[in-house]
Amino acid sequence: MTDQPLVEIKDLKKHFPAAHKQIVRAVDGVSFSIRRGETLGLVGESGCGKTTIGRCLLRLIEPTSGEIRFGGRDLLKLRGGELRELRRRMQIIFQDPYSSLNPRMKAGSIIGEPLEIHGVSDRRERRERVTELLSVVGLDPDYANRYPHQFSGGQRQRIGIARALALNPDFIVADEPVSALDVSVQAQVVNLLQDLQEKFGLTYLFISHGLAVVKHISTRVGVMYLGKLVELAPAEKIYERPLHPYTQALLAAIPVPDPDAKKESKQKLGGDVPNPIAPPPGCRFHTRCPHANDRCRAEEPEFEEIAPGHFVACFLYDKAVESVRP
């Protein structure tokens, strides 16, 4: 891993039109970078904007405003052949291994389709590449002649991973790649992604619902709430000393698989997630935060670096010194 950012986004916004001329603020001003060779885990509740960010990064959907740079190039200014060429370096692993594979295509055709679209090889070379990719993701090359319904969920996701690797990308958006799988299979897929990253020097944006899944794969972790980043830090800092009350609540919700472990009082979140069409004024988390005060209800906290590499948007902290938590 190097310190050179491969992906940079600045003040990214994506708003969707809703009924009665209203606007859903799915992503509302997010900035971060991903260095070459690292994994940035992006976590948060459903509807917080994680997947929208991943799709904007690949320009599967067009951002409302903001800046996206990939390898130093302004991605939003590219058109036609330039964008097509750059897209070979960016791929996605979809959440649902059932709906992301065409049921009428055999596994070999699914994996080889990117090669055919980008015209990088003839039929014989595509077959050889498909055989190689099936082996890389831990599947028998003979499975190339099977249809998706003949595979288990974990095997289908391995086919999706092989398809993402077909064009030798630099960057992969893993959009909740294990959430639809059995718990026993989740660890296998996460371990596979780690092995592939080490083997091919990949850079990941790993999107997930919970902090437990991203713990072992992420270099850094960003926590989102209602369209905004509320905390971003190296993974070990997030798990050892979370600062934002929302991050603390997410960690407290992780079950401990030990019936003899001492039960500690857990921070519980009250209320529901606010409507993204009309987010609350001030800090968006104040309606559920146990430490909220009048300032939180009136002002929006800045996303600031309060320790080396540790960013948080919360009035319980300033740029240099952590205040005394109630």
Side-chain angles (χ1 to χ4, degrees):
M1 184 180 68
T2 69
D3 292 330
Q4 177 67 34
L6 177 64
V7 178
E8 299 175 88
I9 68 172
K10 294 181 181 179
D11 197 27
L12 182 68
K13 296 182 181 181
K14 179 58 183 178
H15 300 165
F16 294 97
H20 308 296
K21 297 183 179 181
Q22 295 178 311
I23 295 175
V24 177
R25 303 177 185 277
V27 179
D28 205 20
V30 172
S31 301
F32 61 76
S33 63
I34 309 176
R35 297 187 298 271
R36 292 180 181 273
E38 82 164 337
T39 299
L40 177 65
L42 199 59
V43 301
E45 294 170 287
S46 295
C48 70
K50 310 181 299 296
T51 294
T52 302
I53 286 180
R55 291 175 181 263
C56 284
L57 282 176
L58 303 179
R59 283 190 62 182
L60 296 178
I61 56 177
E62 293 295 326
T64 301
S65 64
E67 182 180 343
I68 302 175
R69 303 189 73 84
F70 182 85
R73 302 178 67 183
D74 190 339
L75 192 62
L76 300 183
K77 292 182 179 179
L78 299 181
R79 296 290 185 274
E82 286 186 316
L83 178 59
R84 182 186 179 92
E85 182 66 24
L86 197 62
R87 274 184 164 159
R88 293 176 56 178
R89 301 174 57 193
M90 306 180 296
Q91 296 295 319
I92 184 170
I93 302 168
F94 293 98
Q95 174 181 356
D96 188 356
Y98 298 88
S99 62
S100 63
L101 303 181
N102 189 334
R104 297 184 178 184
M105 295 176 63
K106 294 181 179 179
S109 299
I110 291 172
I111 297 170
E113 188 175 28
L115 300 169
E116 184 176 0
I117 290 173
H118 287 268
V120 297
S121 58
D122 61 25
R123 183 174 297 181
R124 181 181 59 81
E125 291 173 332
R126 288 199 299 270
R127 284 199 301 267
E128 292 176 354
R129 179 63 174 157
V130 167
T131 298
E132 177 189 357
L133 288 168
L134 283 169
S135 298
V136 163
V137 299
L139 294 176
D140 191 321
D142 291 338
Y143 289 176
N145 293 315
R146 294 187 181 184
Y147 288 94
H149 72 271
Q150 297 176 288
F151 295 98
S152 67
Q155 289 174 325
R156 287 177 180 147
Q157 195 60 292
R158 289 173 186 264
I159 293 171
I161 294 171
R163 177 176 58 185
L165 293 173
L167 295 170
N168 293 315
D170 299 321
F171 175 61
I172 293 179
V173 174
D175 184 11
E176 302 191 37
V178 298
S179 64
L181 306 179
D182 293 338
V183 174
S184 59
V185 181
Q186 289 183 5
Q188 297 175 17
V189 173
V190 170
N191 289 337
L192 172 63
L193 291 173
Q194 287 180 303
D195 293 341
L196 294 174
Q197 182 177 39
E198 183 176 349
K199 183 174 182 179
F200 299 113
L202 298 170
T203 302
Y204 291 143
L205 174 64
F206 191 96
I207 298 169
S208 176
H209 278 104
L211 284 161
V213 177
V214 302
K215 182 175 184 179
H216 300 291
I217 194 172
S218 298
T219 312
R220 291 183 299 145
V221 175
V223 182
M224 286 193 67
Y225 184 79
L226 206 62
K228 287 185 174 288
L229 272 177
V230 296
E231 188 164 1
L232 175 66
E236 63 273 9
K237 291 187 178 181
I238 286 285
Y239 290 94
E240 292 175 3
R241 191 167 176 266
L243 299 182
H244 198 279
Y246 179 60
T247 310
Q248 295 171 357
L250 288 180
L251 282 170
I254 299 175
V256 179
D258 183 1
D260 298 324
K262 182 179 178 181
K263 294 184 178 181
E264 300 179 357
S265 59
K266 292 187 176 182
Q267 177 181 334
K268 296 182 179 179
L269 294 179
D272 298 322
V273 179
N275 190 341
I277 293 178
C283 175
R284 297 189 176 190
F285 187 62
H286 83 258
T287 58
R288 305 172 73 192
C289 181
H291 309 297
N293 53 39
D294 291 339
R295 186 184 181 192
C296 301
R297 300 180 183 94
E299 300 178 35
E300 184 174 345
E302 295 290 332
F303 191 64
E304 298 178 324
E305 186 175 20
I306 65 160
H310 200 149
F311 297 81
V312 68
C314 184
F315 288 127
L316 292 173
Y317 311 92
D318 61 29
K319 289 184 177 181
V321 181
E322 178 183 350
S323 67
V324 177
R325 181 177 295 280

